[in-house]
Amino acid sequence: MAGRDDDKPTSEEKRRVYVVFFVIAFAIDLAVGLIREGTYAPTLIGGAIMITSVLFYVYSLIRDR
């Protein structure tokens, strides 16, 4: 059972994933907004994903201290 901790992602890896989710959601929202309206207009699901990823990122920072 000593090797179980080796498979767990570190907090830095988790935060990297949160940033990737934010960037992907923002890029999709930006592309959809530019295609539909010509300006950036966040969608509900994109905004929810971005807000959630930011909250998880901040929680990870606070918990790591």
Side-chain angles (χ1 to χ4, degrees):
M1 296 278 172
R4 286 185 77 155
D5 290 338
D6 296 338
D7 294 337
K8 285 187 174 182
T10 64
S11 55
E12 290 85 17
E13 291 170 339
K14 289 179 183 179
R15 285 194 291 269
R16 192 174 304 129
V17 170
Y18 303 146
V19 170
V20 168
F21 278 125
F22 180 87
V23 169
I24 290 172
F26 179 73
I28 291 172
D29 256 5
L30 182 63
V32 168
L34 291 176
I35 290 171
R36 284 188 186 169
E37 301 165 6
T39 59
Y40 173 68
T43 60
L44 184 61
I45 189 72
I49 292 170
M50 288 186 278
I51 290 170
T52 303
S53 64
V54 168
L55 290 175
F56 274 111
Y57 185 87
V58 170
Y59 177 72
S60 177
L61 283 176
I62 292 170
R63 191 169 180 217
D64 202 28
R65 290 182 183 217

